[in-house]
Amino acid sequence: MADPTAGIESLGDLTGKRVLVRSDLNVPLDGTTIADDGRIRASVPTIRQLSEAGARVVVTAHLGRPKGEPDPAYSLEPVAARLSELLGRPVAFATDTVGASASETVAGLQDGDVALLENVRFNDGETSKDDEVRGAFADQLAQLADAFVSDGFGVVHRKQASVYDVALRLPSAMGGLVAAEVDVLRRLTEEPERPYVVVLGGSKVSDKLGVIDNLIDKADKLLIGGGMVFTFLKAQGHEVGKSLLEADQLDTCTRYLREAADRGVEIVLPTDVVVDTAFPSGDREPQPSVVPASEIPADALGLDIGPESAAAFAAALADARTVFWNGPMGVFETDAFAGGTRAVAEALTKVDGLSVVGGGDSAAAVRQLGFDEAAFGHISTGGGASLEFLEGKELPGIAVLERG
Ligand code: ADP
Ligand code: MG
């Protein structure tokens, strides 16, 4: 069999061939309006490449978490329309996944045409833990195509029918998006250029334990902000008021601080914090104030790193040659608490080397704050998948393509 890691060229001449592409089109929707089309745009190059190669392109993807049966709230139809705009060509939409509409739609494709199948999670075979149930669904998907291209990086950590099982049934290859993601993540884990700085934030320490574990002995500096920082501050003996705190992770944070010290990895925590007396909500204007990280009032909660910390984080990033950033520094969704995230994003755009943004909310933050995506070395489309890769776990959707 052809070398799947060589990309879609390994599939040979695709003229007239039906190619099933697993893309990640899981975009946030406001009703039927696409709130952020980043993932659709990221999926376009591979789809266009296949179309230009003369393939009959059948795109499969999921949206949200429907319960294994059709649910109009999770229809991919609005996505088909946006995909068509971005491709600049019609996209035929099948109103089911492997049923009559899918067969008819695929049968109607001419060379170079593109179709999108309805939400693959409308079928309970997609995410079933039962290999046979999943396999039976993968058989049906495989009947729609002559070859398979895996291009949904956001799902390659899932052992699901359209990600894993279908690759066992068809000649398969990595799409350019997955290949690019894997290449960048390897550069972060295998001999990164130094200094290597890792910036972690977001809501929970417990979500990021595996990454901290795996990167603590690879990075030179670890900058910590976001909601997770309060468990670290508490572990250092500071009071954190009403801030997000994972009491069951205090010992783990203490251990990380000690391990880092032992290994000469510098952990940088904020020295000041932006607080308010309530979590931002539509009901009241934010009343932000800046306090030292060691003096968070009992009735306040930390919602961003302060300006002094933001400057220190930016300075710590200034000479980095490799940066991985996951997790916003604050509740960036509210402008009053977006300063730290903005400062870190800004610093990343100036890195002379490889700068990588991973994580769904972090990528959304970069876009929401108006940064030019091209200013970053790489913005990962797959939050969970990039984290699992950096934790050192095997990703089923990659392993299945790389098997000998
Ligand atoms: P990613 O998706 O990039 O991996 P996470 O999902 O871990 O990031 O975290 C993103 C969320 O963390 C954002 O919605 C943000 O509002 C929240 N967050 C950041 N700082 C804080 C904080 N100090 N307190 C509570 N939530 C926070
Ligand atoms: Mg998230």
Side-chain angles (χ1 to χ4, degrees), residues 4 14 34 68 88 93 105 120 128 133-134 139 148 151 172 183 222 228 276 283 331 357 369 387:
L14 292 175
I34 296 164
F93 183 67
T105 305
V120 71
S128 173
V133 175
R134 243 183 20 252
D139 283 338
F148 174 63
D151 206 39
S172 300
D183 178 57
L222 189 55
M228 70 157 76
D276 199 343
D283 306 340
V331 183
V357 183
L369 297 175
L387 291 183

Side-chain angles (χ1 to χ4, degrees), residues 164-206:
Y164 175 82
D165 303 82
V166 77
L168 298 170
R169 289 162 169 80
L170 290 171
S172 300
M174 269 185 206
L177 183 58
V178 167
E181 296 268 10
V182 169
D183 178 57
V184 163
L185 291 169
R186 292 222 159 106
R187 283 165 67 193
L188 292 178
T189 46
E190 295 162 14
E191 298 177 35
E193 254 199 273
R194 298 186 180 281
Y196 179 13
V197 183
V198 173
V199 191
L200 292 176
S203 39
K204 291 161 127 194
V205 190
S206 50

Side-chain angles (χ1 to χ4, degrees), residues 202-203 208 226-227 230 279 302-303 326-328 330-333 358-362:
S203 39
K208 312 278 162 91
F230 301 100
F279 198 84
L303 295 167
N326 168 263
V331 183
F332 72 93
E333 295 90 339
D361 291 292
S362 310

Side-chain angles (χ1 to χ4, degrees), residues 12-81:
D13 182 7
L14 292 175
T15 313
K17 287 212 185 131
R18 299 167 305 159
V19 178
L20 184 73
V21 189
R22 177 54 157 109
S23 298
D24 178 6
L25 303 177
N26 189 25
V27 290
L29 282 186
D30 256 336
T32 56
T33 308
I34 296 164
D36 176 9
D37 67 359
R39 283 178 168 161
I40 309 178
R41 282 184 289 120
S43 301
V44 161
T46 296
I47 295 170
R48 180 175 287 140
Q49 186 187 6
L50 290 165
S51 164
E52 285 173 356
R56 303 174 178 203
V57 188
V58 183
V59 183
T60 180
H62 77 282
L63 183 71
R65 295 177 183 268
K67 300 196 165 45
E69 56 185 53
D71 179 343
Y74 297 105
S75 175
L76 277 172
E77 198 161 4
V79 173

Side-chain angles (χ1 to χ4, degrees), residues 52-340:
E52 285 173 356
R56 303 174 178 203
V57 188
V58 183
V59 183
T60 180
H62 77 282
L63 183 71
R65 295 177 183 268
K67 300 196 165 45
E69 56 185 53
D71 179 343
Y74 297 105
S75 175
L76 277 172
E77 198 161 4
V79 173
R82 183 76 188 116
L83 178 60
S84 167
E85 281 170 24
L86 291 165
L87 277 170
R89 63 179 305 142
V91 171
F93 183 67
T95 56
D96 58 27
T97 53
V98 291
S101 174
S103 304
E104 271 166 38
T105 305
V106 174
L109 295 178
Q110 302 295 314
D111 297 0
D113 283 354
V114 177
L116 173 64
L117 305 178
E118 184 54 288
N119 192 337
V120 71
R121 291 192 187 165
F122 283 2
N123 190 303
D124 63 2
E126 171 67 0
T127 59
S128 173
K129 295 280 172 261
D130 184 329
D131 290 352
E132 274 179 38
V133 175
R134 243 183 20 252
F137 179 51
D139 283 338
Q140 290 179 288
L141 276 173
Q143 272 165 20
L144 295 171
D146 307 301
F148 174 63
V149 170
S150 180
D151 206 39
F153 184 71
V155 287
V156 291
H157 59 314
R158 305 285 187 211
K159 196 173 182 181
Q160 296 178 344
S162 69
V163 179
Y164 175 82
D165 303 82
V166 77
L168 298 170
R169 289 162 169 80
L170 290 171
S172 300
M174 269 185 206
L177 183 58
V178 167
E181 296 268 10
V182 169
D183 178 57
V184 163
L185 291 169
R186 292 222 159 106
R187 283 165 67 193
L188 292 178
T189 46
E190 295 162 14
E191 298 177 35
E193 254 199 273
R194 298 186 180 281
Y196 179 13
V197 183
V198 173
V199 191
L200 292 176
S203 39
K204 291 161 127 194
V205 190
S206 50
D207 285 350
K208 312 278 162 91
L209 292 177
V211 180
I212 302 177
D213 264 332
N214 207 37
L215 293 185
I216 208 163
D217 55 13
K218 296 198 168 76
D220 300 302
K221 288 181 204 168
L222 189 55
L223 317 184
I224 301 178
M228 70 157 76
V229 82
F230 301 100
T231 308
F232 279 92
L233 289 172
K234 179 88 179 172
Q236 285 190 325
H238 302 304
E239 288 310 322
V240 297
K242 296 191 293 180
S243 307
L244 203 67
L245 176 70
E246 285 178 274
D248 57 342
Q249 303 298 337
L250 280 169
D251 291 345
T252 313
C253 289
T254 305
R255 178 164 61 79
Y256 286 144
L257 290 168
R258 202 178 44 231
E259 264 179 39
D262 289 350
R263 292 179 197 190
V265 177
E266 190 187 341
I267 293 200
V268 184
L269 300 179
T271 50
D272 60 348
V273 181
V274 184
V275 298
D276 199 343
T277 50
F279 198 84
S281 77
D283 306 340
R284 85 187 247 291
E285 275 298 303
Q287 289 158 18
S289 59
V290 178
V291 300
S294 54
E295 291 170 32
I296 299 175
D299 66 344
L301 65 166
L303 295 167
D304 193 11
I305 61 171
E308 180 183 284
S309 311
F313 281 27
L317 287 162
D319 70 340
R321 301 284 298 172
T322 306
V323 180
F324 174 67
W325 171 34
N326 168 263
M329 294 294 101
V331 183
F332 72 93
E333 295 90 339
T334 300
D335 204 50
F337 309 111

